Amino acid sequence: MSVSVLGAGAFGTALAISLASNGPVKLWARNQDLASDIQTTRVNKSRLPGVVLPDDLTITSDLNAAVDSRILLLAVPMQKLRTVLEQNSQSLSDKTLVACCKGIELNTGIGPISVIRESLPDARPALLTGPSFAADIARGLPTALTLACEDANLGKLLQQQLTTTNLRLYRTTDTIGAEQGGALKNVMAIACGAVIGAGLGDSARAALMTRGYAEMQRMAMACGARPETLAGLSGFGDLTLTCSSDLSRNYQLGLAIGRGETFDPSITVEGAATARAAAAKADEMKIDMPITQTVTNLVSQRLTIADAAAQLLARPLKEE
């Protein structure tokens, strides 16, 4: 079955490279000059320097050529997903669309599958998420991901089609849990980066990861998720990776905040917008999420790292 990846960022390019081991794949880049350069040089120099693209991977800026595949992977930032879908609704409406972004839409408080359903009611949505760095996937290193799809039969088909020599997919029908885990772990990664950047130590990071995981569970289950999903790759697995590696852009933002440094605004950091969206949703649903609220205040510069640590430590004592 034919596969295309829409979005030639680092993650989209890496997925296309891995999927090309199964057969021909198309990678769509919005910018024509970028697509031509990658197709000619066989390297995405700005996003994955040093990684040579396989022969079975074709790069194009022609959306019509890309969407003739039956399965389309949407490797675009969460906050731009709706725009991409609505601007190309005629081309995408009856396709199997696999969202590859992690986050909560700022204006609506919903995840990628819900955005697909609202934008394209006739599409067949799924979500690919879990602990993964683009550089690892592109280099052929073993990676395990969650494939979430409410339609169990479609999920099985996608699992077979998208598993590669280095990508192992586990499927679930709990799309809510997969969405929430992938989104909220980015918020916790910012918090952990800030702790390390400020020199507060590994013990503090471990505490934030653990209490952050509790927040993830509270929010996800209040939204209808199954607890075992949060204990899997899309929750605990992704949390572990992004909170402990400076390859994570969310963690890098946290490091910059903790060190009092300026962070490059051109770099997409999904957790910043997700923190705001999740904090607003938690307030509306009366869910206690102090770390998420603290990250929101740190990113918006309403709180210093010293004040943030003091506030969290001063919270009322409670049972675990």
Side-chain angles (χ1 to χ4, degrees), residues 78-92:
M78 178 64 210
Q79 304 306 322
K80 296 181 179 179
L81 177 60
R82 185 183 295 272
T83 299
V84 171
L85 295 173
E86 292 180 349
Q87 288 181 347
N88 303 288
S89 58
Q90 289 187 337
S91 300
L92 304 176

Side-chain angles (χ1 to χ4, degrees), residues 38-302:
I38 298 174
Q39 178 66 16
T40 301
T41 65
R42 309 306 297 167
V43 176
N44 189 340
K45 290 176 286 191
S46 63
R47 299 303 180 91
L48 281 175
V51 179
V52 178
L53 275 59
D55 293 338
D56 271 343
L57 176 54
T58 301
I59 300 85
T60 181
S61 60
D62 182 351
L63 184 66
N64 290 327
V67 300
D68 66 356
S69 299
R70 293 184 61 184
I71 301 173
L72 304 178
L73 274 63
L74 306 175
V76 298
M78 178 64 210
Q79 304 306 322
K80 296 181 179 179
L81 177 60
R82 185 183 295 272
T83 299
V84 171
L85 295 173
E86 292 180 349
Q87 288 181 347
N88 303 288
S89 58
Q90 289 187 337
S91 300
L92 304 176
S93 61
D94 62 345
K95 299 289 184 177
T96 297
L97 303 179
V98 183
C100 301
C101 47
K102 305 171 184 178
I104 298 174
E105 192 174 47
L106 188 55
N107 294 331
T108 63
I110 61 177
I113 286 184
S114 298
V115 171
I116 293 174
R117 287 201 183 102
E118 283 192 0
S119 304
L120 302 173
D122 294 331
R124 298 176 295 278
L127 175 68
L128 190 62
T129 184
S132 54
F133 287 142
D136 290 345
I137 295 174
R139 292 166 55 201
L141 300 179
T143 302
L145 299 174
T146 295
L147 188 286
C149 184
E150 286 187 0
D151 183 331
N153 291 328
L154 178 59
K156 291 179 182 178
L157 175 64
L158 290 172
Q159 182 184 37
Q160 294 170 352
Q161 294 296 318
L162 301 180
T163 292
T164 71
T165 53
N166 69 306
L167 283 182
R168 178 176 174 82
L169 306 189
Y170 290 82
R171 69 178 184 273
T172 180
T173 57
D174 181 11
T175 57
I176 295 173
E179 282 183 327
Q180 291 291 323
L184 295 175
K185 61 87 186 177
N186 283 334
V187 179
M188 305 313 160
I190 295 174
C192 288
V195 160
I196 297 302
L200 298 180
D202 289 328
S203 297
R205 172 168 55 182
L208 274 179
M209 287 178 65
T210 307
R211 298 311 305 164
Y213 182 60
E215 286 191 22
M216 291 167 59
Q217 289 180 308
R218 281 198 295 273
M219 173 62 86
M221 285 188 281
C223 293
R226 299 195 296 264
E228 61 267 25
T229 305
L230 274 292
L233 291 165
S234 60
F236 178 75
D238 216 353
L239 178 73
T240 301
L241 181 66
T242 54
C243 290
S244 58
S245 173
D246 57 11
L247 291 178
S248 163
R249 287 173 292 183
N250 293 280
Y251 186 78
Q252 289 172 10
L253 173 60
L255 284 174
I257 292 172
R259 293 168 179 167
E261 299 172 352
T262 300
F263 190 78
D264 185 351
S266 68
I267 298 175
T268 299
V269 181
E270 299 279 26
T274 293
R276 291 170 57 195
K281 190 171 184 177
D283 185 62
E284 178 185 335
M285 298 175 69
K286 310 299 183 188
I287 302 172
D288 187 30
M289 298 185 70
I291 298 174
T292 300
Q293 185 60 62
T294 297
V295 170
T296 300
N297 290 333
L298 283 172
V299 170
S300 61
Q301 299 182 333
R302 294 195 298 263

